[in-house]
Amino acid sequence: MTKTASTDLRSDTVTRPDKKMAAAMAEAEVGDDVLDHDPTMRALEEKAAQLLGTAAALWVPSGTMGNLIALSIHLRRGDRFLAPRGAHVLHHELGSAAWLAGGMPEPLDWNAGPGRPTADAVRAHASGDRRYDALHTTLLCLENTHNAAGGAVIPPHEHAQLAAAARDRGLRVHLDGARIWNAATALELPPAALTVGVDTVQACLSKGLGAPVGSVVAGTSDFVAEARRMRKMLGGGVRQGGVLAAAGLVALDRVPALATDHRHAKLLADGLTELGWDITEPQTNIVLAAVPDVRLTLDWLQEIGVLAVPMDGNVRFVTHRDVTERDIKGVLRRISHSTDRPAGIPQAG
Ligand SMILES: *Cc1c(COP(=O)(O)O)cnc(C)c1O
C-alpha cells in the first residue's frame, strides 16, 4: 500500500501562496518602505484600516509583533492588563507582554461563555484607583476569535459591553483580532462591527486568508505613527515590503471564502462526534477534541496521516484554504478505519 500524503490540520498558517497570490507578489510595485513608504504597503494599510474601521493601519511581520507594539504603547512598566484566560498574549507570546511591554497580566475567567469574560468581571478587576501608590490597571486585551477556546466568537453586543466597561474605568482596549476575519464571517458582519470601542486591533493576514507573511496593527493616526517607530526599534522595518503587502492585498479579498473553512470544521466535528469523540462544537475553523492522552493521540494521528497540535490540554484541528471537503472526509475515514488507536479513543460503529 502506498502511503498517502498527510492532511495538515495543525494550523491555518500552513497554507501556501497560490498562483494568483504568487503572481501579485512577483508583479508588485515596490519602494523602500523605511525611507519612503512602499506604494503597495500603503495600499494594503489603507485597505486594512478601512476594513477594520480605524483611521490608519501598519503592516507588521507577525501577529506577535503587532500585539507587542500595541501593548508597549498602551502600557507603562508595571501596569496591570486584563485578558481572557488562555489568551494568546498570555500563553503563546513567550511572556513578551511582560518582558518587553512591561505589563503585569491578570487573566479573566470565561464567565460569559467559551473565551468570554463578563463586563462585570472587567469592572471588578479595574479598580480605577489612581493614587500614586496603587497598582494601575490600564488595559483590557480582548481576543476574537479566541484560539484556545476553539475559535470562539465574541458577539458584537458583548464586545461593546466589554469595551464600554473598560472605557468607563479608564482602561484602553486592544483587540487581538488574529482571526477577526473568521469572527466577522461567522457573524455575517463587516469586521469593523467587531472593533467598536477599541483603541487598537491586530489582525493576521497569514492565517486563514493565506498570505505567507504579515499582520496589521491598526488604530488612530497618532498610534500608527508611534507604532511605525516601535516596529523599527524591534527590527520589523522592511525595505521592498510591497512584495509581502501584495500577498496581503490578495488575502484581504478572501474573507468571504472563510465560510468554506467553517463548513469543513463543522463536517469534521460532526464526523468525530458521530464516532464517539468528545468535541467542542466549532463556531469557526477550529475543532477541539478532549482525549485521555493528548501526546499519544497526536502520535497516532500522525501515523495515520492526520496532523494536529496540542492546545491547552486538548487536540486542536484547524481547517484552512488548502484542505478540501474530500480531505476532511479522508481524515474521518482514516480515523474510523484505524485499528491501533490509543486507549480511550472510541472504536467506530
Ligand atoms: C496566531 C495568533 C497570534 C500571533 O500571530 P503570529 O503571526 O503567529 O505571531 C496572535 N493572537 C492569536 C489569537 C493568534 O492565534
Side-chain angles (χ1 to χ4, degrees), residues 182-217:
N182 296 84
T185 302
L187 293 163
E188 299 183 20
L189 287 172
L194 305 178
T195 64
V196 173
V198 312
D199 294 281
T200 53
V201 52
Q202 181 281 120
C204 287
L205 305 168
S206 63
K207 292 197 167 159
L209 302 184
V213 183
S215 274
V216 289
V217 62

Side-chain angles (χ1 to χ4, degrees), residues 62-64 67 88 93 143 147 176 178-179 202 204 206-207:
S62 69
T64 300
N67 284 337
H88 202 278
E93 297 183 9
E143 186 171 314
N147 182 359
D176 179 355
R179 295 189 181 82
Q202 181 281 120
C204 287
S206 63
K207 292 197 167 159

Side-chain angles (χ1 to χ4, degrees), residues 145-302:
T145 67
H146 193 298
N147 182 359
V153 171
I154 306 177
H157 64 279
E158 274 188 39
H159 167 88
Q161 285 167 1
L162 289 163
R167 303 191 81 87
D168 183 50
R169 292 294 157 102
L171 272 60
R172 294 195 184 177
V173 184
H174 173 66
L175 173 61
D176 179 355
R179 295 189 181 82
I180 192 173
W181 321 112
N182 296 84
T185 302
L187 293 163
E188 299 183 20
L189 287 172
L194 305 178
T195 64
V196 173
V198 312
D199 294 281
T200 53
V201 52
Q202 181 281 120
C204 287
L205 305 168
S206 63
K207 292 197 167 159
L209 302 184
V213 183
S215 274
V216 289
V217 62
T220 64
S221 304
D222 283 350
F223 166 79
V224 167
E226 195 53 35
R228 194 178 297 280
R229 282 178 58 78
M230 178 73 63
R231 183 184 68 176
K232 188 76 176 91
M233 284 181 200
L234 295 172
V238 297
R239 301 297 174 170
Q240 282 71 36
V243 174
L244 300 168
L249 278 166
V250 173
L252 286 176
D253 283 336
R254 294 181 166 174
V255 176
L258 294 172
T260 305
D261 299 346
H262 298 179
R263 207 161 34 73
H264 291 164
K266 176 129 181 39
L267 184 68
L268 179 65
D270 289 350
L272 289 173
T273 303
E274 208 165 294
L275 291 172
W277 286 52
D278 180 1
I279 296 295
T280 304
E281 175 74 11
Q283 299 176 31
T284 53
N285 68 328
I286 299 178
V287 177
L288 295 181
V291 296
D293 189 319
V294 172
R295 196 67 260 163
L296 277 179
T297 305
L298 290 171
D299 289 348
W300 162 69
L301 285 169
Q302 184 173 3

Side-chain angles (χ1 to χ4, degrees), residues 52-74:
L52 294 169
T54 58
L58 180 75
W59 180 93
V60 284
S62 69
T64 300
M65 190 186 284
N67 284 337
L68 174 59
I69 286 173
L71 266 59
S72 299
I73 291 174
H74 293 317

